[in-house]
Amino acid sequence: MPAILELEEAYGKTRRDRAFQAEFADYLKRFVGRPTSLYFAERLTKRLGGAKIYLKREDLCHTGAHKINNSIGQVLLARRMKKKRVIAETGAGQHGVATATAAAMFGLTCEIYMGTEDMERQSLNVFRMRLLGATVTGVDAGSRTLKDAINEAMRDWTTNVRTTNYILGSVLGPHPYPMMVRDFQSIIGREARKQILAEEGRLPDYLVACVGGGSNSIGLFHAFLKNPHVRMVGVEAAGLGIESGKHAARFAGGRPGVLHGTMTYLLQDDDGQVNLTHSVSAGLDYAAVGPEHSYYHDAGRIQYTSATDEEALAAFDLLARDEGIMPALESAHAVAEVVKLAPKLKKKQVVIVNLSGRGDKDVQQVARIKGVTL
Amino acid sequence: MTSNPPGHRTDASRVTRHASRAPNRLERKFGDLRAKGEKALIAYIMAGDPSLHETEALVLQLEQSGADIIELGVPFSDPIADGPVIQKAAERALRSGTSLRKILQTVASLRSKTQIPLVLMAYYNTIYALGEAAFCKRAVEAGVDGVIVPDMPPEEAGPLEAVAEQTGLQTIFLLAPTSTPARRTVVARRSRGFLYYVSLTGITGAKLTNLAEVRRNVAKIRRATDVPVAVGFGIATPQDAAQVAGIADGVIVGSAIVRQVGEHQHDPGLPERVGRFVRSLKAAIAPSGASSTA
């Protein structure tokens, strides 16, 4: 708790500090490569025969996903707090790679916690983190996925609080993380808003993004929340199907609970034990959703739906062949929703889907699922 | 030398705070021990490890072996404050079908056999799933004396604290070495039954290294409250226990006991084996043992 209070105080100061914000913006531009483009997916639009589909290309960020926006922000904060060491959890490995990258750039010691199940399905990212000089520590407890990695990172932080900052990768965990991570990711929506106004001269009808913890989605949605005509859809992982029980759809299958210092929708049993989750995508495979999403769910501002493993894999193939873009399996869940949604809309309507990461990291796993030996 | 026991100073607020109610088992226990010049040995075991049946036998045996207070861990799938020894115990307990509801039944059954103070250590979601009010009511009815919620900061504790106060369940708060002076004062004053000082920045089962810091911080806590101060985390051996007993009112031993349970879980003489270890801890903190290290 003292650690969180220290972080809250430090972040409270930097949030209003223009020099910090300017430094952050500068790294996003020169190191991350922002702004990322808003790309009109012409062939996909034609195929689905409905709304115009734009892709917000977070997959073009340095390290291949939106995660780097937040890692840079939090590592800059850690430097201001004079911490020499940063730790992080990672599911798909994207946040781990992003944090290892930011730590390498600033010369900080870096340790990444990752469930052993995730290490297996994302072995390429494990190697990338090690190449970047980070220590990757496998967590062989519980479901051996993201939530267990967060448990272990929190234990490390409790132990090494004096020297270490915990760079949490999503809009999860105790305050100030959900707010801070959202702030660092909200650049996605601010850019998209300007870009769509330039392209179409108006705001979009729909925003679609996948929701694991929910950082890429809240990052896209946040700049549009005050525009009631912009509808928003968050896509959770339905895994093998909601009825199978093997999924990570918190709004469909969960109820409010407390995990990792946050009260939010949580997949749990009658006794409050956290359920094991399943998704083909490691980044969506988590039992709780960011608390701000729970708020907008209950307020009816954001609609939440889900896509199965199978639908996500089909969307992965579709985007690769129609647009020459392989999405991360996480982002493929958002594309899967667009496949269902766009045909129901009018041709003049506009949908922006957040392509939160690129699919290179998933190629081995997709090959395995397709039964292809590389 | 040892610190002054808390009863040596007079504090009007302490006298009036509990005046409306008869002292409960925790208060009586600390009072009795203080009168004898002894320190409390608080033994932690994971409820349901390896089974709730064994838990019942273990509680009775630990009492016979000299434990003054028993802390019963409520297993949780994501125990972020615990090291590997207690994590594994929680997994064993969950595998044996343990739940908070069943633990309360076990406590009720134990109450026909023992009046030893029983404190639950439960992660918040297990309590929230049952409902805070229902939990407090059922816990007190079963015979639970206090509750420690390691992932519930005092800032968020208001609702549970209020129903606990009504039902007479003691809410025990934790303080860490990194707690600021302001926070130390607030938390110390809100803790009931005893205050749990965490000896180190870390998780259960880590190694105790900085005894001087423990001594300094316990002294500071005593200036804020007259509630007994118990020290836990990192106390693994009779020697550790003796040193901490020279500083605090209570010594909490968890992982070292749970490790014994884990190692001998299939042994028919499990309670006796664990009892022998607890006896050695109690002997080490007995007044003669404590004075030899002072």
Side-chain angles (χ1 to χ4, degrees):
Chain A
M1 196 63 201
I4 295 163
L5 296 174
E6 184 191 354
L7 183 69
E8 186 183 351
E9 196 193 335
Y11 181 61
K13 280 182 198 154
T14 54
R15 208 176 176 216
R16 294 181 300 275
D17 179 344
R18 288 205 178 160
F20 179 87
Q21 295 303 335
E23 190 183 16
F24 178 48
D26 194 52
Y27 279 108
L28 288 183
K29 183 179 165 197
R30 291 186 299 123
F31 188 72
V32 176
R34 302 205 72 92
T36 60
S37 74
L38 184 72
Y39 176 73
F40 175 50
E42 196 175 349
R43 293 194 66 215
L44 184 66
T45 297
K46 209 169 278 174
R47 177 192 289 274
L48 296 175
K52 291 179 84 170
I53 300 161
Y54 283 87
L55 307 175
K56 180 59 177 162
R57 298 290 309 274
E58 291 300 298
D59 60 316
L60 296 177
C61 287
H62 178 41
T63 71
H66 71 293
K67 293 290 184 186
I68 188 86
N69 302 329
N70 169 52
S71 293
I72 295 276
Q74 287 199 52
V75 167
L76 283 172
L77 181 61
R79 282 176 87 212
R80 295 215 162 189
M81 293 170 71
K82 312 259 184 273
K83 306 282 180 175
K84 302 277 181 225
R85 176 174 178 266
V86 292
I87 56 170
E89 84 295 341
T90 196
Q94 289 305 108
H95 175 57
V97 168
T99 303
T101 298
M105 179 178 55
F106 290 116
L108 302 178
T109 307
C110 179
E111 182 160 359
I112 305 292
Y113 291 96
M114 190 169 186
T116 48
E117 158 97 17
D118 289 340
M119 285 176 80
E120 199 173 305
R121 51 183 170 175
Q122 300 287 351
S123 54
L124 190 63
N125 270 344
V126 174
F127 188 56
R128 286 170 79 195
M129 289 182 266
R130 287 178 174 148
L131 287 173
L132 290 158
T135 306
V136 182
T137 303
V139 181
D140 200 17
S143 57
R144 307 196 304 281
T145 60
L146 182 58
K147 105 183 147 61
D148 311 284
I150 295 178
N151 290 343
E152 205 54 35
M154 286 189 163
R155 291 181 187 117
D156 179 315
W157 196 29
T158 311
T159 307
N160 300 302
V161 49
R162 290 181 174 107
T163 59
T164 300
N165 246 33
Y166 175 22
I167 312 291
L168 218 160
S170 194
V171 287
L172 295 169
H175 181 70
Y177 284 107
M179 177 182 81
M180 176 168 70
V181 177
R182 179 203 68 201
D183 289 351
F184 290 144
Q185 293 293 1
S186 62
I187 182 74
I188 302 172
R190 289 200 306 275
E191 283 177 8
R193 191 182 171 95
K194 266 189 222 157
Q195 290 165 325
I196 200 70
L197 285 173
E199 287 282 330
E200 294 284 339
R202 65 181 190 94
L203 292 176
D205 299 285
Y206 277 89
L207 303 173
V208 181
C210 64
V211 182
S215 72
N216 89 79
S217 48
I218 211 81
L220 174 65
F221 297 167
H222 194 249
F224 298 92
L225 280 166
K226 288 188 180 136
N227 299 105
H229 299 297
V230 180
R231 301 172 78 168
M232 302 173 185
V233 185
V235 188
E236 299 186 285
L240 303 179
I242 306 291
E243 64 293 339
S244 73
K246 292 182 164 47
H247 62 83
R250 291 66 47 100
F251 291 118
R255 63 173 202 280
V258 174
L259 178 67
H260 297 142
T262 306
M263 180 172 284
T264 190
Y265 279 82
L266 178 65
L267 291 168
Q268 57 185 318
D269 69 11
D270 289 345
D271 294 318
Q273 305 295 340
V274 178
N275 283 347
L276 298 185
T277 52
H278 166 83
S279 170
V280 68
S281 113
L284 303 184
D285 200 351
Y286 180 65
V289 64
E292 197 171 349
H293 285 285
S294 292
Y295 172 77
Y296 289 122
H297 170 270
D298 287 359
R301 179 65 187 93
I302 303 175
Q303 180 201 337
Y304 293 87
T305 175
S306 59
T308 62
D309 288 357
E310 208 174 310
E311 290 167 332
L313 287 162
F316 179 95
D317 280 351
L318 184 68
L319 203 68
R321 292 183 185 199
D322 268 8
E323 296 292 344
I325 300 168
M326 273 187 284
L329 283 175
E330 290 76 16
S331 322
H333 285 71
V335 177
E337 171 59 24
V338 170
V339 170
K340 295 178 216 172
L341 175 70
K344 293 184 223 158
L345 303 178
K346 297 190 188 87
K347 289 195 176 177
K348 60 174 189 184
Q349 289 187 289
V350 172
V351 175
I352 297 178
V353 52
N354 201 13
L355 213 64
S356 56
R358 64 181 181 224
D360 304 42
K361 69 179 174 63
D362 295 312
V363 167
Q364 283 173 314
Q365 202 197 354
V366 170
R368 202 157 49 224
I369 292 166
K370 290 177 185 274
V372 177
T373 316
L374 297 177
Chain B
M1 61 166 265
T2 56
S3 325
N4 282 336
H8 281 200
R9 284 186 295 121
T10 55
D11 180 336
S13 69
R14 182 169 189 279
V15 176
T16 52
R17 196 161 60 215
H18 299 297
S20 58
R21 207 174 49 229
N24 77 357
R25 293 185 198 90
L26 274 171
E27 289 166 316
R28 274 206 304 275
K29 176 63 81 174
F30 276 106
D32 292 350
L33 289 170
R34 192 180 301 138
K36 291 190 282 182
E38 287 182 28
K39 301 303 175 73
L41 175 61
I42 304 171
Y44 173 102
I45 54 173
M46 177 63 72
D49 171 28
S51 69
L52 280 171
H53 179 72
E54 290 280 10
T55 298
E56 221 174 307
L58 275 165
V59 168
L60 298 173
Q61 179 66 52
L62 296 188
E63 181 179 24
Q64 268 188 26
S65 305
D68 298 297
I69 296 165
I70 305 285
E71 211 186 292
L72 285 176
V74 176
F76 182 50
S77 51
D78 295 82
I80 55 171
D82 287 303
V85 171
I86 293 182
Q87 287 174 44
K88 289 205 178 72
E91 286 176 16
R92 288 194 296 269
L94 289 173
R95 272 202 304 274
S96 80
T98 309
S99 66
L100 181 51
R101 289 179 180 87
K102 289 183 187 166
I103 292 168
L104 294 179
Q105 288 166 13
T106 300
V107 170
S109 154
L110 272 165
R111 275 297 172 233
S112 63
K113 296 163 195 142
T114 174
Q115 291 305 308
I116 191 168
L118 291 169
V119 172
L120 296 183
M121 180 139 171
Y123 286 88
Y124 183 74
N125 204 49
T126 59
I127 294 174
Y128 183 70
L130 198 61
E132 292 177 324
F135 164 73
C136 290
K137 184 167 171 283
R138 287 159 74 166
V140 169
E141 279 169 9
V144 174
D145 299 293
V147 62
I148 304 167
V149 189
D151 61 342
M152 179 183 71
E155 288 85 345
E156 307 287 345
L160 179 65
E161 224 176 350
V163 278
E165 184 88 32
Q166 279 167 21
T167 51
L169 187 68
Q170 313 276 71
T171 42
I172 296 152
F173 287 109
L174 298 105
L175 276 173
T178 45
S179 300
T180 59
R183 186 177 178 78
R184 200 161 49 216
T185 304
V186 171
V187 173
R189 288 188 178 152
R190 279 169 64 179
S191 205
R192 300 285 178 270
F194 63 92
L195 184 132
Y196 193 133
Y197 177 70
V198 177
S199 70
L200 42 85
T201 56
I203 51 177
T204 57
K207 201 166 161 49
L208 181 64
T209 50
N210 197 340
L211 208 65
E213 184 186 62
V214 175
R215 187 184 301 277
R216 271 197 312 277
N217 281 327
V218 169
K220 287 176 189 163
I221 293 166
R222 287 195 195 289
R223 287 201 278 277
T225 181
D226 276 350
V227 165
V229 181
V231 174
F233 285 43
I235 301 163
T237 64
Q239 291 74 20
D240 294 339
Q243 287 180 314
V244 171
I247 299 170
D249 305 304
V251 180
I252 305 166
V253 182
S255 294
I257 294 173
V258 173
R259 182 179 285 115
Q260 300 263 332
V261 176
E263 280 171 8
H264 303 295
Q265 55 179 307
H266 303 298
D267 188 333
L270 169 70
E272 293 74 23
R273 277 186 175 272
V274 179
R276 272 203 289 282
F277 176 61
V278 169
R279 203 177 301 273
S280 72
L281 294 169
K282 182 63 178 178
I285 70 166
S288 57
S291 64
S292 70
T293 63

